[in-house]
Amino acid sequence: MEISAMICKVKNLRTLLTTEQIYTVPVELYQELTCLRALDLGGSDIDKLPNEVGRLLHLRYLNLWGTNLSELPETICNLYNLQTLELSQCKKIQKLPSGIGKLTNLRHLSIGGTDALGYLPQGIGSLRFLRTLSKFIVRGSSMGCNLGELKLLTFLQGNLKIEGLERVVEMNEAAEAELRKKNRLRGLTLNFGDLERADVEKMKGVLKNLHPHENLEELEIMGYPGLQFPSWITSGSNLVSLKLHRCGTFTELPAAMGKMECLEKLEIVRMGSVRHIGREFYGVGIGGSSSFVAFPKLKSLLFRDMVEWDDWDLPISKDINVMPQLLELRLEDCSKLRKLPALGRLQSLELLTINTLNAVKRIGSEFCGVDSIDSSSSGGEVITAAFPKLKKLFFSNMKEWEEWELPISTTSMGDTPPAIMPCLCELELSFCPVLRALPGLGKLKSLESLTIVHTMVGEFLGISDDGDVHNGCFSTEEEGAISSGGGESTQEDVITFRNILGNPLRSIGCLCLSKLDTEVKRMGGLLACFGNSETTGGGSAQVQQEKEVIFPSLKNLEITVLPMWRGSNLPSQKDSVVIMPLLRQLTIRLCDKLQVIPHYMFSQSLKQLEIMDCPELGRAQPCLPPLLESLDFAGNVGFLSNSLPVCDVECSHNNNNSYPYLKTVYIFASPHSSLPKGFNKLKGIQRLILHRCDTLDFELKELNHLTMLQHLEINDCPILKERFGEGRDWSILSHVPKITIDYEEITKSN
């Protein structure tokens, strides 16, 4: 799009903002609109600014953000009234006008994200009123400027990034910048570039002389080649955020960092020579005080890409409190760290991410900060809870992790064991390829979301029950198959099941089910139609309240790529166990050996069900739950591809519709040529999506029962496209407002 030449006739125009993609700007604009105060060409595709821009003498604001400019004309230096020059994200710009020092009224020069910009011209120091300078580049060429040009920029505020520090000629040049006098700066990034080319002693002096004002809140140091940091970083500073990146020569982290009283965020990345983090890092023993708080305000801590780090000490005791306000801890790509410390002692931790710790083989009770379920910590302090406020826990890419133990167990009468993760809501395990068993996760009473991706776990959730322990029912056709084809429970099955639910089963503890009352009442007579009178009626309420509940709060369960998960029999616990009573969303993907979906996963409260590529699923499946709202089958899902496990009982008060809440059905890449058996019993569907079903073929009359259908969508189904394509008779579905074939809506005209 080109700016219309008609605009040039508005001689007194003060502000011109472009809101659409602009490719060219007529030269007349710069010649005629000489009264412009603000010109915004940000985000446009212009690649050249003509010399005529120098005629806009009244211009105060010029925005060229994200354009394709490679340089600016020298005439831009005639704009002596210019106060803001916005060049952020101009990826192609290579240089600034050599006379930029003439813009003496310039307040804001934004050049962040200008990766091709190799240097700043001499004369930057003349911009004495400059408030914003995103980036300062040290001597990219003979025409570049040195650190001394920062001396007179006393009004600088916000964030400043200094690049090319490895090119500083003399260490005293850094002192000439007088950063300590710039009390309005809030953030400072110091980039030392290439470690291999740097003079270590000179760079040590440069960093020492770049001592900022005490008001600085955020500091990032990148590529520093020295062996130690100057004392101004940890002593007497008011830093709120500190990031140390690529400081590869350090063998240990700066001592007494734990004494930084204002620090809230700490990132330590690619410190490739650090092997040990111990008491000195926290400042323990420095100063002689017996009682000590390390990192008193720290809220976020990240360790990433620490390739030699193999030992970590967390010296929490009765007299030493470490990171009492820490909310978020991330450990990523620390390939030699063999053992995790007592992270469960971090009293405020809410989010813990552990990613690519390839040397960790076992995570035990010491991870929680207890050696056994009823132990006390060193120094006589009694542990009442491990991870007391943890809400989210993520493990991923743990290639050698084989064993996980959580001290979720019971003690003798009268003892009170520590609570383990009492607030945990979300747990994710992904790409832990040798992890074969999990601890008693069923006793995590606050757990609402559980995701398991690509592990070798075979029996912790994939244990099919025997018809006594379930929350659903069987379809009439499958009931005989289940009773005759279940097989015998092995001792290994029973032990593994008890591990996940808490060992032993009888000691899980009764839980009041009052929060299920609302859901039970809403089900009403519908559940009675499914033969589940046990959860309804006044006479059974007492029985239900006495049952033990496993995964009492779980609402979302996702299981993907469990190659060892088959499904096997549970011991019968009908009178004492309820499993996943609040489950709302169930996703099962790519479980090649799964034969039977455990009945407790088809909770009466389940609303969303997705199953993808589980080809071994057989006939013996539990009935689809009555409150289901969304059903998604993708690929080969075994017997379910051919026959839906629907209940044969219809409910008269719901117009003989067994599934009145099921509104959306999505079938993707079905291997069969017909709709699954039982589909005709799903009468409440409002949206039906068929996608990439190459062999699927049926008559429109097979959809007659869908009287509530609002949208039929058929995409990439070649046989159906031929059968129902352009010119076909759709009168049978005349009540359907929207019909789409291959992403094009079918109308009366076509």
Side-chain angles (χ1 to χ4, degrees), residues 390-401:
L390 189 66
K391 296 179 180 178
K392 297 182 180 181
L393 175 59
F394 302 122
F395 291 100
S396 61
N397 297 307
M398 305 282 284
K399 294 182 179 179
E400 301 296 325
W401 186 23

Side-chain angles (χ1 to χ4, degrees), residues 515-572:
K515 64 179 178 179
L516 299 181
D517 288 348
T518 301
E519 194 67 50
V520 169
K521 290 175 182 177
R522 191 168 77 89
M523 294 178 187
L526 183 60
L527 295 186
C529 293
F530 279 70
N532 195 334
S533 59
E534 189 172 303
T535 58
T536 60
S540 61
Q542 183 63 31
V543 176
Q544 183 75 351
Q545 288 181 359
E546 292 175 356
K547 289 188 176 183
E548 297 171 355
V549 182
I550 300 161
F551 291 106
S553 301
L554 193 66
K555 296 179 181 178
N556 178 46
L557 175 60
E558 179 179 339
I559 301 172
T560 303
V561 190
L562 264 63
M564 302 303 293
W565 187 25
R566 296 176 182 270
S568 57
N569 280 349
L570 285 176
S572 177

Side-chain angles (χ1 to χ4, degrees), residues 652-711:
S652 58
H653 63 283
N654 281 303
N655 298 319
N656 293 324
N657 182 7
S658 298
Y659 296 92
Y661 300 103
L662 185 55
K663 306 300 183 186
T664 302
V665 174
Y666 178 41
I667 299 177
F668 175 84
S670 171
H672 293 284
S673 59
S674 62
L675 292 170
K677 183 179 179 181
F679 182 77
N680 62 324
K681 296 182 180 181
L682 308 180
K683 300 178 181 179
I685 298 175
Q686 295 183 5
R687 186 178 187 190
L688 174 61
I689 306 161
L690 307 173
H691 190 191
R692 290 185 59 184
C693 300
D694 294 338
T695 60
L696 187 61
D697 188 15
F698 60 85
E699 297 285 350
L700 278 180
K701 63 183 180 181
E702 295 183 50
L703 305 182
N704 272 344
H705 66 289
L706 301 180
T707 58
M708 302 176 66
L709 190 63
Q710 300 294 307
H711 187 188

Side-chain angles (χ1 to χ4, degrees), residues 620-667:
Q621 305 301 329
C623 265
L624 295 178
L627 298 181
L628 203 61
E629 297 177 356
S630 174
L631 178 62
D632 186 338
F633 284 167
N636 188 349
V637 291
F639 189 72
L640 297 182
S641 296
N642 190 46
S643 180
L644 297 176
V646 296
C647 180
D648 285 341
V649 181
E650 295 183 336
C651 304
S652 58
H653 63 283
N654 281 303
N655 298 319
N656 293 324
N657 182 7
S658 298
Y659 296 92
Y661 300 103
L662 185 55
K663 306 300 183 186
T664 302
V665 174
Y666 178 41
I667 299 177

Side-chain angles (χ1 to χ4, degrees), residues 347-576:
Q347 296 299 298
S348 298
L349 191 64
E350 295 183 359
L351 171 62
L352 175 58
T353 300
I354 299 176
N355 181 10
T356 318
L357 270 60
N358 291 332
V360 173
K361 294 187 175 182
R362 179 182 182 275
I363 296 178
S365 58
E366 66 280 357
F367 172 64
C368 293
V370 292
D371 293 330
S372 63
I373 198 65
D374 57 355
S375 66
S376 299
S377 65
S378 59
E381 183 186 6
V382 176
I383 301 173
T384 59
F387 295 105
K389 296 184 179 180
L390 189 66
K391 296 179 180 178
K392 297 182 180 181
L393 175 59
F394 302 122
F395 291 100
S396 61
N397 297 307
M398 305 282 284
K399 294 182 179 179
E400 301 296 325
W401 186 23
E402 300 175 344
E403 182 182 355
W404 185 16
E405 174 192 347
L406 277 180
I408 304 178
S409 184
T410 58
T411 59
S412 60
M413 185 72 68
D415 291 332
T416 302
I420 306 299
M421 304 181 187
C423 298
L424 188 67
C425 295
E426 185 175 353
L427 172 61
E428 180 175 327
L429 303 165
S430 60
F431 299 96
C432 304
V434 296
L435 184 64
R436 292 182 175 271
L438 295 180
L441 302 180
K443 296 189 68 177
L444 298 174
K445 297 181 180 180
S446 297
L447 189 63
E448 296 183 358
S449 177
L450 176 60
T451 301
I452 303 169
V453 179
H454 204 296
T455 74
M456 296 302 289
V457 172
E459 298 298 340
F460 90 103
L461 281 174
I463 301 175
S464 73
D465 40 330
D466 59 1
D468 284 337
V469 184
H470 65 85
N471 293 326
C473 66
F474 304 118
S475 58
T476 304
E477 183 179 356
E478 327 304 348
E479 192 165 1
I482 296 172
S483 60
S484 61
E488 296 295 328
S489 300
T490 65
Q491 183 65 22
E492 182 180 356
D493 290 335
V494 176
I495 291 173
T496 309
F497 177 69
R498 288 178 176 180
N499 285 344
I500 183 63
L501 302 182
N503 190 13
L505 264 177
R506 64 179 180 273
S507 64
I508 295 175
C510 295
L511 199 72
C512 178
L513 300 186
S514 58
K515 64 179 178 179
L516 299 181
D517 288 348
T518 301
E519 194 67 50
V520 169
K521 290 175 182 177
R522 191 168 77 89
M523 294 178 187
L526 183 60
L527 295 186
C529 293
F530 279 70
N532 195 334
S533 59
E534 189 172 303
T535 58
T536 60
S540 61
Q542 183 63 31
V543 176
Q544 183 75 351
Q545 288 181 359
E546 292 175 356
K547 289 188 176 183
E548 297 171 355
V549 182
I550 300 161
F551 291 106
S553 301
L554 193 66
K555 296 179 181 178
N556 178 46
L557 175 60
E558 179 179 339
I559 301 172
T560 303
V561 190
L562 264 63
M564 302 303 293
W565 187 25
R566 296 176 182 270
S568 57
N569 280 349
L570 285 176
S572 177
Q573 298 287 337
K574 178 176 180 180
D575 295 330
S576 60

